[in-house]
Amino acid sequence: MISLKNFNFHPCFTALSISILCSFLLTSCLTAKKLDAEVAKVYSDKRVQKKRPNEQITVTSTLADGGAATSSSVTKTSVLPLIVYIGVTYRNICKLNPQIPVTNFTSTVTSLANKGLMQKLQAKKLELSVEQIPTEFSFDDKGHMVLLLVSWDNVSIKGKSSDMVVRYKLSGEGSPAKQGVITVPYPNDKMNLGYFKSWKKATSEYLDQYDANITAMSKVFVDKLVKEL
């Protein structure tokens, strides 16, 4: 009987195994550059409805300015070469320009201002500072091969777990300033891709859901803020 413990794979054999496995990865054709280009296309096609700014409410952010780029992506690959099993994880990590979710947050807060918030403000000024907001997601393609005979992969797209953190300050003449911090957790948004769904379509669908999640989180923030003021 052959002992697997003493069985040595030739380097060329291992390299061939990894090459074969990589050929099965559904998103192996996806690169960081292509992902950034698709994200830019998705947001260029979106119509951003600008809300008229409220003179009593100002929104700023302590997050680093992302400049003109819509996103910044990187590709990471990890390999697990075992005797009878080989695993490869091909990951494209995308970080969106913080201006995208902050603009969404500002628009949502402005649109909801007349639904309870303005009654709390009266003649006072409200300053909001976005200190943390979800901006990152990744495509994960996990490939598996057993004995070079059976192979499969699992592809998913998921946002990095990150809360929305906003600091507020309410001030007015003749009254002490009231301030605090409100945190809203980000929901689980993992999407598993089927074999026949393209990464471009998956990106578009994910970003639609991402925008909807930021809007929903902003509404939760307003509800919490009204209760605290």
Side-chain angles (χ1 to χ4, degrees), residues 4-165:
L4 293 178
K5 182 181 297 184
N6 298 323
F7 189 85
N8 295 320
F9 283 96
H10 191 279
C12 292
F13 179 80
T14 302
L16 177 62
S17 302
I18 296 174
S19 298
I20 294 175
L21 179 58
C22 288
S23 68
F24 286 94
L25 299 179
L26 287 179
T27 57
S28 59
C29 61
L30 174 59
T31 63
K33 185 176 181 179
K34 289 182 179 180
L35 182 55
D36 283 336
E38 185 62 23
V39 171
K41 179 180 181 299
V42 169
Y43 278 107
S44 67
D45 292 340
K46 290 177 178 288
R47 295 183 178 180
V48 180
Q49 296 181 350
K50 296 183 179 180
K51 302 294 182 181
R52 184 178 179 180
N54 190 300
E55 296 180 356
Q56 290 183 251
I57 303 174
T58 59
V59 180
T60 58
S61 174
T62 60
L63 301 175
D65 188 350
T70 307
S71 64
S72 176
S73 300
V74 295
T75 300
K76 295 183 178 181
T77 304
S78 60
V79 181
L80 180 63
L82 302 178
I83 295 177
V84 296
Y85 168 83
I86 300 175
V88 177
T89 298
Y90 187 80
R91 171 176 292 179
N92 281 282
I93 304 171
C94 179
K95 187 172 183 179
L96 298 172
N97 189 322
Q99 293 180 5
I100 294 175
V102 171
T103 298
N104 186 333
F105 170 82
T106 303
S107 179
T108 303
V109 171
T110 302
S111 65
L112 295 175
N114 293 326
K115 299 180 180 180
L117 182 56
M118 294 305 297
Q119 296 178 4
K120 291 283 188 176
L121 298 185
Q122 297 181 0
K124 298 178 182 179
K125 300 287 186 180
L126 177 64
E127 300 174 46
L128 303 177
S129 176
V130 181
E131 299 186 344
Q132 181 176 298
I133 199 165
T135 59
E136 187 176 304
F137 70 92
S138 65
F139 261 102
D140 293 338
D141 190 345
K142 298 181 179 180
H144 315 268
M145 179 172 285
V146 178
L147 294 175
L148 295 181
L149 298 176
V150 181
S151 64
W152 71 96
D153 60 335
N154 305 110
V155 186
S156 63
I157 180 171
K158 185 180 186 302
K160 180 180 179 180
S161 180
S162 177
D163 298 335
M164 174 187 288
V165 180

Side-chain angles (χ1 to χ4, degrees), residues 26-27 139 155 191-203 205:
L26 287 179
T27 57
F139 261 102
V155 186
M191 292 173 50
N192 293 313
L193 277 66
Y195 283 99
F196 302 103
K197 177 176 286 188
S198 70
W199 66 265
K200 290 185 177 182
K201 183 176 181 180
T203 300
E205 290 180 356

